[in-house]
Amino acid sequence: MGGRQSRSLSSKELNEVTVSQRRKSAWRDEQPSLSSAAERIRRQTTVHFGYSTLSLAMRGLDGTPAELWELRELQKLNLSMNYLCSLPPALGTLDNLVVLNLWGNNLSSLPPEIGLLKKLRVLFACRNRLSEVPEELGYCACLEVLSLANNQITGLPSSFAAMHNLTKLNLSHNHIAHIPTCVYSMKGLVFLHLACNRLETIADQIQDLVNLKILIVEGNSIHTLPKTLCFLETLELLNVDFNDLQNVPMEMYLLSRLRRLACHPLDKGLHIIHNPLLKPIQEVLQGGLSALYNYLKPT
């Protein structure tokens, strides 16, 4: 009988063991629960034109489900027309995203981790409450289409100058007083929309956007156009309506691809007649764009 006798556990010790076991059991239960939730949301994904796609649009969401960020295979995510006020840092884990649609929420900011989405090509963040965008978004070097329309933005970070693949930029309906300097470095831009801001001038650097086909700056307070604008020989649509223009540059006849005076907002050509133009330009324009060009051309 030289062996040690086992000691009975006290009621306090038994209670502690029971609590510990319950915690371990709860932790084990949570893991499959989170995984099961991820599987449920994964079943809502579809393959659309070869892309793994998930739409949670118009779901009345005021927050994003935690399991969403487990779906690292996602390539297109639509969170539009909800009530989201913020996005978590976990957004950066979806590093296969190509298209992200955040249109029509209540977002006041974007997380810096959005810069981790290195494959992102299209971002719609229009109709939110953004007053600024993070510098890290400029690290999304593959971005081709960016819409930040209908926000409260006053400028863009200098990091955006590295967006050499960007072809379409929509900054309309914001609070921008000067075209951000970084925009003039976006040499690939084909479409630039700056309508309904607070612009008074367009810098001479506009000539650097050598691929620009569509420039929309209607609804601002621009009082003069730089002659360098007329060196953009690829322009097919120039909308400067509803500004404070009284005259036009003598070099405007160089914009040969504008072809005609346009009226409908989406028509190609020159949109200019809704300005306080002075004579004789106002009268010459009654004969159409060709009449204006003939008037401006040196004899």
Side-chain angles (χ1 to χ4, degrees):
M1 315 296 175
R4 297 177 59 187
Q5 294 184 346
S6 60
R7 182 176 66 86
S8 300
L9 294 176
S10 67
S11 58
K12 180 181 178 182
E13 290 171 324
L14 282 171
N15 184 56
E16 290 175 349
V17 170
T18 302
V19 170
S20 177
Q21 289 175 337
R22 285 176 180 170
R23 285 175 178 168
K24 289 179 180 178
S25 175
W27 182 85
R28 285 193 299 268
D29 290 343
E30 283 177 4
Q31 303 315 301
S33 172
L34 188 58
S35 182
S36 298
E39 285 306 314
R40 283 196 297 272
I41 198 170
R42 183 174 277 115
R43 285 195 288 270
Q44 299 181 47
T45 64
T46 59
V47 177
H48 190 247
F49 292 106
Y51 291 96
S52 175
T53 304
L54 174 63
S55 178
L56 296 176
M58 295 186 291
R59 300 291 182 91
L61 299 176
D62 56 9
T64 51
E67 59 271 16
L68 171 61
W69 314 116
E70 289 191 41
L71 309 185
R72 291 192 58 180
E73 72 277 11
L74 269 186
Q75 295 171 292
K76 293 186 176 183
L77 175 60
N78 187 350
L79 291 168
S80 65
M81 291 181 284
N82 282 292
Y83 301 97
L84 302 176
C85 294
S86 63
L87 293 172
L91 172 66
T93 63
L94 301 185
D95 51 7
N96 284 303
L97 276 185
V98 175
V99 177
L100 177 58
N101 189 347
L102 304 172
W103 182 87
N105 280 282
N106 296 320
L107 297 172
S108 57
S109 64
L110 297 174
E113 288 78 9
I114 198 169
L116 298 174
L117 306 181
K118 303 300 184 184
K119 298 180 182 179
L120 194 64
R121 297 209 302 264
V122 178
L123 173 60
F124 297 115
C126 39
R127 293 193 180 276
N128 278 281
R129 298 179 179 177
L130 301 174
S131 58
E132 59 183 9
V133 288
E135 179 181 353
E136 290 81 1
L137 182 56
Y139 305 157
C140 298
C142 291
L143 210 56
E144 298 173 4
V145 177
L146 175 59
S147 179
L148 297 168
N150 294 91
N151 280 286
Q152 299 159 23
I153 294 168
T154 58
L156 296 177
S158 58
S159 62
F160 278 40
M163 289 184 172
H164 301 305
N165 290 311
L166 201 64
T167 59
K168 296 182 180 179
L169 177 60
N170 190 342
L171 296 171
S172 64
H173 296 86
N174 276 287
H175 299 165
I176 299 171
H178 305 280
I179 297 178
T181 303
C182 60
V183 170
Y184 300 119
S185 297
M186 300 173 181
K187 300 295 194 296
L189 277 184
V190 174
F191 173 96
L192 178 56
H193 200 338
L194 284 157
C196 301
N197 275 283
R198 299 172 180 178
L199 301 177
E200 294 185 5
T201 60
I202 298 176
D204 287 341
Q205 295 100 301
I206 193 70
Q207 66 180 328
D208 295 337
L209 302 182
V210 294
N211 293 301
L212 203 59
K213 291 185 177 181
I214 297 174
L215 176 59
I216 303 173
V217 291
E218 68 173 329
N220 282 281
S221 301
I222 299 170
H223 49 79
T224 184
L225 298 175
K227 70 176 182 179
T228 55
L229 175 64
C230 305
F231 302 151
L232 298 177
E233 298 180 3
T234 56
L235 269 185
E236 297 175 1
L237 189 159
L238 174 60
N239 190 338
V240 294
D241 265 336
F242 303 104
N243 278 282
D244 296 327
L245 296 175
Q246 296 185 345
N247 216 323
V248 298
M250 293 296 293
E251 296 81 3
M252 183 165 273
Y253 71 91
L254 296 172
L255 297 174
S256 58
R257 295 195 182 186
L258 292 182
R259 312 226 170 175
R260 60 173 180 165
L261 288 179
C263 297
H264 189 278
L266 297 180
D267 283 348
K268 289 184 178 181
L270 175 63
H271 301 247
I272 197 171
I273 59 174
H274 297 289
N275 278 284
L277 295 165
L278 299 177
K279 298 178 181 179
I281 297 298
Q282 184 188 54
E283 295 174 339
V284 171
L285 277 172
Q286 294 176 8
L289 189 60
S290 59
L292 175 64
Y293 282 7
N294 287 333
Y295 173 80
L296 295 174
K297 282 180 183 178
T299 53

PDB file of all heavy atoms in Angstrom, residues 214-229:
ATOM      1  N   ILE A 214     -12.800  61.860 -74.194  1.00  0.00           N
ATOM      2  CA  ILE A 214     -13.998  62.478 -73.623  1.00  0.00           C
ATOM      3  C   ILE A 214     -13.608  63.297 -72.400  1.00  0.00           C
ATOM      4  O   ILE A 214     -13.021  62.769 -71.447  1.00  0.00           O
ATOM      5  CB  ILE A 214     -15.048  61.414 -73.234  1.00  0.00           C
ATOM      6  CG1 ILE A 214     -15.521  60.659 -74.481  1.00  0.00           C
ATOM      7  CG2 ILE A 214     -16.225  62.066 -72.514  1.00  0.00           C
ATOM      8  CD1 ILE A 214     -16.450  59.494 -74.184  1.00  0.00           C
ATOM      9  N   LEU A 215     -13.916  64.587 -72.435  1.00  0.00           N
ATOM     10  CA  LEU A 215     -13.667  65.480 -71.303  1.00  0.00           C
ATOM     11  C   LEU A 215     -14.959  66.226 -70.990  1.00  0.00           C
ATOM     12  O   LEU A 215     -15.488  66.954 -71.832  1.00  0.00           O
ATOM     13  CB  LEU A 215     -12.551  66.477 -71.613  1.00  0.00           C
ATOM     14  CG  LEU A 215     -12.271  67.524 -70.533  1.00  0.00           C
ATOM     15  CD1 LEU A 215     -11.885  66.880 -69.212  1.00  0.00           C
ATOM     16  CD2 LEU A 215     -11.190  68.499 -70.994  1.00  0.00           C
ATOM     17  N   ILE A 216     -15.458  66.038 -69.770  1.00  0.00           N
ATOM     18  CA  ILE A 216     -16.713  66.656 -69.359  1.00  0.00           C
ATOM     19  C   ILE A 216     -16.448  67.525 -68.135  1.00  0.00           C
ATOM     20  O   ILE A 216     -16.079  67.020 -67.070  1.00  0.00           O
ATOM     21  CB  ILE A 216     -17.777  65.597 -69.024  1.00  0.00           C
ATOM     22  CG1 ILE A 216     -18.000  64.663 -70.221  1.00  0.00           C
ATOM     23  CG2 ILE A 216     -19.088  66.259 -68.617  1.00  0.00           C
ATOM     24  CD1 ILE A 216     -18.904  63.476 -69.934  1.00  0.00           C
ATOM     25  N   VAL A 217     -16.607  68.829 -68.303  1.00  0.00           N
ATOM     26  CA  VAL A 217     -16.412  69.767 -67.193  1.00  0.00           C
ATOM     27  C   VAL A 217     -17.602  70.722 -67.083  1.00  0.00           C
ATOM     28  O   VAL A 217     -17.468  71.839 -66.575  1.00  0.00           O
ATOM     29  CB  VAL A 217     -15.092  70.555 -67.343  1.00  0.00           C
ATOM     30  CG1 VAL A 217     -13.890  69.656 -67.136  1.00  0.00           C
ATOM     31  CG2 VAL A 217     -15.018  71.250 -68.699  1.00  0.00           C
ATOM     32  N   GLU A 218     -18.755  70.308 -67.527  1.00  0.00           N
ATOM     33  CA  GLU A 218     -19.931  71.177 -67.462  1.00  0.00           C
ATOM     34  C   GLU A 218     -20.315  71.454 -66.005  1.00  0.00           C
ATOM     35  O   GLU A 218     -19.966  70.714 -65.088  1.00  0.00           O
ATOM     36  CB  GLU A 218     -21.112  70.542 -68.194  1.00  0.00           C
ATOM     37  CG  GLU A 218     -21.674  69.298 -67.523  1.00  0.00           C
ATOM     38  CD  GLU A 218     -22.944  68.797 -68.182  1.00  0.00           C
ATOM     39  OE1 GLU A 218     -23.706  69.615 -68.709  1.00  0.00           O
ATOM     40  OE2 GLU A 218     -23.169  67.574 -68.142  1.00  0.00           O
ATOM     41  N   GLY A 219     -21.030  72.558 -65.827  1.00  0.00           N
ATOM     42  CA  GLY A 219     -21.547  72.856 -64.502  1.00  0.00           C
ATOM     43  C   GLY A 219     -20.499  73.280 -63.498  1.00  0.00           C
ATOM     44  O   GLY A 219     -20.624  72.965 -62.305  1.00  0.00           O
ATOM     45  N   ASN A 220     -19.459  73.968 -63.954  1.00  0.00           N
ATOM     46  CA  ASN A 220     -18.450  74.518 -63.060  1.00  0.00           C
ATOM     47  C   ASN A 220     -18.459  76.047 -63.179  1.00  0.00           C
ATOM     48  O   ASN A 220     -19.469  76.633 -63.580  1.00  0.00           O
ATOM     49  CB  ASN A 220     -17.073  73.935 -63.392  1.00  0.00           C
ATOM     50  CG  ASN A 220     -16.895  72.524 -62.854  1.00  0.00           C
ATOM     51  OD1 ASN A 220     -16.628  72.333 -61.675  1.00  0.00           O
ATOM     52  ND2 ASN A 220     -17.042  71.520 -63.724  1.00  0.00           N
ATOM     53  N   SER A 221     -17.356  76.681 -62.839  1.00  0.00           N
ATOM     54  CA  SER A 221     -17.260  78.150 -62.946  1.00  0.00           C
ATOM     55  C   SER A 221     -16.041  78.533 -63.774  1.00  0.00           C
ATOM     56  O   SER A 221     -15.376  79.539 -63.499  1.00  0.00           O
ATOM     57  CB  SER A 221     -17.171  78.773 -61.544  1.00  0.00           C
ATOM     58  OG  SER A 221     -18.302  78.438 -60.772  1.00  0.00           O
ATOM     59  N   ILE A 222     -15.754  77.736 -64.793  1.00  0.00           N
ATOM     60  CA  ILE A 222     -14.582  77.960 -65.638  1.00  0.00           C
ATOM     61  C   ILE A 222     -14.818  79.197 -66.508  1.00  0.00           C
ATOM     62  O   ILE A 222     -15.835  79.307 -67.191  1.00  0.00           O
ATOM     63  CB  ILE A 222     -14.310  76.722 -66.512  1.00  0.00           C
ATOM     64  CG1 ILE A 222     -14.030  75.504 -65.614  1.00  0.00           C
ATOM     65  CG2 ILE A 222     -13.148  76.963 -67.462  1.00  0.00           C
ATOM     66  CD1 ILE A 222     -13.985  74.193 -66.351  1.00  0.00           C
ATOM     67  N   HIS A 223     -13.879  80.123 -66.463  1.00  0.00           N
ATOM     68  CA  HIS A 223     -14.049  81.370 -67.207  1.00  0.00           C
ATOM     69  C   HIS A 223     -13.159  81.471 -68.444  1.00  0.00           C
ATOM     70  O   HIS A 223     -13.354  82.345 -69.282  1.00  0.00           O
ATOM     71  CB  HIS A 223     -13.800  82.581 -66.297  1.00  0.00           C
ATOM     72  CG  HIS A 223     -12.534  82.489 -65.501  1.00  0.00           C
ATOM     73  ND1 HIS A 223     -11.299  82.757 -66.021  1.00  0.00           N
ATOM     74  CD2 HIS A 223     -12.329  82.119 -64.207  1.00  0.00           C
ATOM     75  CE1 HIS A 223     -10.373  82.586 -65.102  1.00  0.00           C
ATOM     76  NE2 HIS A 223     -10.958  82.189 -63.975  1.00  0.00           N
ATOM     77  N   THR A 224     -12.194  80.544 -68.572  1.00  0.00           N
ATOM     78  CA  THR A 224     -11.355  80.542 -69.766  1.00  0.00           C
ATOM     79  C   THR A 224     -10.793  79.144 -69.987  1.00  0.00           C
ATOM     80  O   THR A 224     -10.594  78.386 -69.032  1.00  0.00           O
ATOM     81  CB  THR A 224     -10.198  81.552 -69.625  1.00  0.00           C
ATOM     82  OG1 THR A 224      -9.447  81.592 -70.845  1.00  0.00           O
ATOM     83  CG2 THR A 224      -9.264  81.184 -68.489  1.00  0.00           C
ATOM     84  N   LEU A 225     -10.562  78.800 -71.242  1.00  0.00           N
ATOM     85  CA  LEU A 225      -9.988  77.504 -71.601  1.00  0.00           C
ATOM     86  C   LEU A 225      -8.540  77.712 -72.040  1.00  0.00           C
ATOM     87  O   LEU A 225      -8.259  78.624 -72.825  1.00  0.00           O
ATOM     88  CB  LEU A 225     -10.779  76.848 -72.736  1.00  0.00           C
ATOM     89  CG  LEU A 225     -12.247  76.521 -72.451  1.00  0.00           C
ATOM     90  CD1 LEU A 225     -12.917  75.987 -73.719  1.00  0.00           C
ATOM     91  CD2 LEU A 225     -12.370  75.517 -71.310  1.00  0.00           C
ATOM     92  N   PRO A 226      -7.624  76.883 -71.568  1.00  0.00           N
ATOM     93  CA  PRO A 226      -6.228  77.045 -71.989  1.00  0.00           C
ATOM     94  C   PRO A 226      -6.050  76.604 -73.437  1.00  0.00           C
ATOM     95  O   PRO A 226      -6.704  75.671 -73.908  1.00  0.00           O
ATOM     96  CB  PRO A 226      -5.473  76.107 -71.034  1.00  0.00           C
ATOM     97  CG  PRO A 226      -6.463  75.045 -70.707  1.00  0.00           C
ATOM     98  CD  PRO A 226      -7.793  75.728 -70.656  1.00  0.00           C
ATOM     99  N   LYS A 227      -5.151  77.264 -74.137  1.00  0.00           N
ATOM    100  CA  LYS A 227      -4.930  76.879 -75.533  1.00  0.00           C
ATOM    101  C   LYS A 227      -4.353  75.474 -75.644  1.00  0.00           C
ATOM    102  O   LYS A 227      -4.530  74.800 -76.661  1.00  0.00           O
ATOM    103  CB  LYS A 227      -4.029  77.894 -76.236  1.00  0.00           C
ATOM    104  CG  LYS A 227      -2.575  77.895 -75.791  1.00  0.00           C
ATOM    105  CD  LYS A 227      -1.771  78.881 -76.622  1.00  0.00           C
ATOM    106  CE  LYS A 227      -0.294  78.872 -76.248  1.00  0.00           C
ATOM    107  NZ  LYS A 227       0.491  79.825 -77.079  1.00  0.00           N
ATOM    108  N   THR A 228      -3.687  75.012 -74.579  1.00  0.00           N
ATOM    109  CA  THR A 228      -3.110  73.660 -74.609  1.00  0.00           C
ATOM    110  C   THR A 228      -4.187  72.587 -74.701  1.00  0.00           C
ATOM    111  O   THR A 228      -3.921  71.479 -75.151  1.00  0.00           O
ATOM    112  CB  THR A 228      -2.252  73.413 -73.355  1.00  0.00           C
ATOM    113  OG1 THR A 228      -3.040  73.657 -72.184  1.00  0.00           O
ATOM    114  CG2 THR A 228      -1.035  74.316 -73.340  1.00  0.00           C
ATOM    115  N   LEU A 229      -5.408  72.929 -74.269  1.00  0.00           N
ATOM    116  CA  LEU A 229      -6.518  71.986 -74.416  1.00  0.00           C
ATOM    117  C   LEU A 229      -6.731  71.631 -75.882  1.00  0.00           C
ATOM    118  O   LEU A 229      -7.117  70.512 -76.228  1.00  0.00           O
ATOM    119  CB  LEU A 229      -7.788  72.603 -73.818  1.00  0.00           C
ATOM    120  CG  LEU A 229      -9.101  71.829 -73.981  1.00  0.00           C
ATOM    121  CD1 LEU A 229      -9.034  70.502 -73.232  1.00  0.00           C
ATOM    122  CD2 LEU A 229     -10.273  72.662 -73.475  1.00  0.00           C
TER     123      LEU A 229
END
